Amino acid sequence: MPNPNVVSRVNRLPISRFHKITLLAVSFAYYFEFADTNTFATTAPKLIKLWGVTVGQIAYVTSLSFVGMFLGSLAAGWLADRWGRKKALTVTTLWFGVFSLASVFSWDVVSLGAFRVLTSAGLSAMTVVAVIYVNELFPAAKRGKYQAYAIVIGICGTPATNLIASAVVPLSDWSWRLVYLWGALGLLFVLFIRHLKESPRWYESKGQPERADAVLTEIEAIVAAEKGRLPAPAAPVEVAPQAKAHLRMLLQRKYLGPTLLLSLLWVTQTIGFFGYSSWAPTLLSKQGFSVESSIFYVALTTVGAPLGSFIAALVSDRWERKWSLVVFGTAIAISGLLYGLTFNPVMIVAFGFLVNMFERGYTAVAYAYSPELFDTRARSLGTAVSYGLGRLSNAVGPAHHRCPVHGERVPERLHLHCRDLARRGARAGVLRAEDRGEGGRGCGRPGERAQALNVGTA
């Protein structure tokens, strides 16, 4: 049947107010996703003193939260394909907002842990859908930069949460609950819904070219009213109807390589960063720092995160994605090693700042990179499975954290040191896999990948 040529029509659009409003909405969702991610980590030291929570219990709540993230990622792939990108983004954002609000009223570590698992499922699901949504609505030549811009704005939620926590958690025995109330403000995403459009590429993939054309015509009219006459799109092409995506489809040679590659990418990112951010306040507290100092030091380190995402915005569409990932990954490993070897407050802040800066740059590039390795049919499923497996990998954290050495836990700085070394080695493996052609996609600049493979823009 005639293809409405959605890809070429989207790619010819200049960045306009429509794109900026879409970016603002996604950034808002990201902001409270990042804000909510660290709420348990920042309140855990207080709960140790208030409820008598043990480090082991904190470990298991953290682990189960990552299991929730895995399940949420898988659900997101299904929701995005079945309900559409816009509706799935709305539902998943409201989901994590509702259960963050429920966390305010938790009465013990079990109830709080249950609410955190459900919140984490929504956080991860929202991220998967948002990555896909930006990929499909922004022109290929600019999507990397604007994906990173969304992270620049969104990641500010991390230092904001940490700074708020450092101020309110010490106030009283109940004030830690305000941190979860802050995370629940993601519910205000409903204010953006009427400004968002469904992805025309999703309509096209569902065999609804008329609806895809209608939505895209509306978008083009909005853009043309602001930017003037638009250039003509490329000629339509003939395409065969696409079958429904199933999990076993990822075992096909066309998709297996990218799925394995991205799973390794997200496993190393998750273990490295979340192993750091989930434990930093508690471990510093256990080393003798006060609750207030622990949270405040971590808050200062997260100020580097927006800068890292901004750097990613500058390089994402200029360099090949894989080389940007290699540079950021190497910088994270070095900074993380130095962070793990010191407990001097100044050095904790300095090296923690660098870890956050380079890691957020890495993640921003990876968000643009991941969905480009799949066509529209497999994009939701492939992104969801690989991202979910990455989050699931950190569920084994408690076993490592509680590993006995002559009756004691492994020293925390050695724990962080080993994690970063493991991540650096895994990332080197990713690069070698791509150089051997295992991934088979995403090895050039965005335009080059699209021309050579006809996948990144499908």
Side-chain angles (χ1 to χ4, degrees), residues 348-367:
I348 287 172
V349 173
F351 293 129
F353 178 95
L354 293 176
V355 169
N356 274 275
M357 181 177 72
F358 292 126
E359 197 286 329
R360 287 295 101 179
Y362 180 92
T363 300
V365 175
Y367 278 2

Side-chain angles (χ1 to χ4, degrees), residues 15-355:
I15 298 299
S16 65
R17 186 170 180 268
F18 162 76
H19 294 97
K20 293 174 183 176
I21 291 175
T22 302
L23 180 73
L24 181 62
V26 172
S27 300
F28 182 88
Y30 276 149
Y31 184 93
F32 283 100
E33 184 259 338
F34 285 118
D36 205 296
T37 297
N38 283 349
T39 51
F40 183 70
T42 56
T43 57
K46 183 72 171 184
L47 297 179
I48 290 175
K49 295 187 175 182
L50 185 63
W51 286 351
V53 176
T54 67
V55 172
Q57 288 174 316
I58 292 173
Y60 290 120
V61 170
T62 302
S63 278
L64 289 174
S65 295
F66 283 99
V67 174
M69 287 185 177
F70 170 68
L71 297 176
S73 296
L74 296 184
W78 181 82
L79 289 175
D81 278 337
R82 186 175 181 85
W83 291 356
R85 316 316 196 199
K86 175 184 173 180
K87 188 172 183 180
L89 180 63
T90 302
V91 170
T92 54
T93 303
L94 297 183
W95 176 282
F96 81 69
V98 165
F99 284 104
S100 184
L101 181 61
S103 299
V104 174
F105 305 101
S106 54
W107 54 93
D108 58 17
V109 69
V110 175
S111 61
L112 180 59
F115 291 140
R116 294 315 299 164
V117 170
L118 293 168
T119 304
S120 297
L123 295 172
S124 185
M126 187 285 297
T127 300
V128 168
V129 180
V131 166
I132 296 167
Y133 190 61
V134 171
N135 177 273
E136 294 184 350
L137 280 181
F138 281 73
K142 300 291 182 74
R143 70 166 67 112
K145 178 169 71 174
Y146 283 91
Q147 187 78 260
Y149 280 154
I151 303 299
V152 170
I153 299 171
I155 196 61
C156 293
T158 299
T161 295
N162 289 331
L163 290 170
I164 288 172
S166 68
V168 304
V169 169
L171 292 179
S172 69
D173 287 347
W174 60 267
S175 58
W176 59 270
R177 299 177 187 272
L178 297 176
V179 179
Y180 296 100
L181 182 62
W182 161 250
L185 293 180
L187 291 169
L188 296 177
F189 181 79
V190 295
L191 300 176
F192 291 97
I193 294 175
R194 66 187 183 91
H195 298 289
L196 301 179
K197 305 294 183 185
E198 182 53 79
S199 166
R201 295 169 72 173
W202 177 73
Y203 280 131
E204 183 182 47
S205 72
K206 303 299 286 186
Q208 302 178 45
E210 295 82 7
R211 299 190 71 175
D213 179 69
V215 171
L216 196 45
T217 298
E218 185 178 350
I219 294 173
E220 288 170 336
I222 295 172
V223 176
E226 178 185 351
K227 298 293 184 178
R229 186 175 180 179
L230 302 175
V237 295
E238 295 289 329
V239 296
Q242 294 182 337
K244 185 178 179 180
H246 295 283
L247 189 60
R248 62 179 179 274
M249 181 184 72
L250 297 183
L251 298 177
Q252 297 175 14
R253 183 176 181 180
K254 178 181 180 181
Y255 302 117
L256 182 59
T259 302
L260 293 176
L261 175 68
L262 292 175
S263 296
L264 182 58
L265 182 154
W266 288 117
V267 164
T268 57
Q269 186 270 349
T270 299
I271 293 177
F273 179 70
F274 283 99
Y276 159 79
S277 63
S278 297
W279 283 105
T282 299
L283 296 182
L284 290 175
S285 178
K286 284 294 182 179
Q287 287 297 320
F289 294 97
S290 67
V291 171
E292 295 86 348
S293 296
S294 299
I295 298 175
F296 183 65
Y297 291 154
V298 172
L300 291 179
T301 67
T302 56
V303 174
L307 178 59
S309 299
F310 181 72
I311 294 172
L314 298 179
V315 304
S316 183
D317 291 323
R318 292 176 179 269
W319 298 352
E320 295 181 14
R321 309 267 202 246
K322 72 169 185 178
W323 291 113
S324 297
L325 292 172
V326 169
V327 171
F328 278 122
T330 302
I332 295 167
I334 295 172
S335 302
L337 175 61
L338 294 173
Y339 176 89
L341 292 175
T342 182
F343 278 98
N344 177 281
V346 175
M347 292 297 98
I348 287 172
V349 173
F351 293 129
F353 178 95
L354 293 176
V355 169

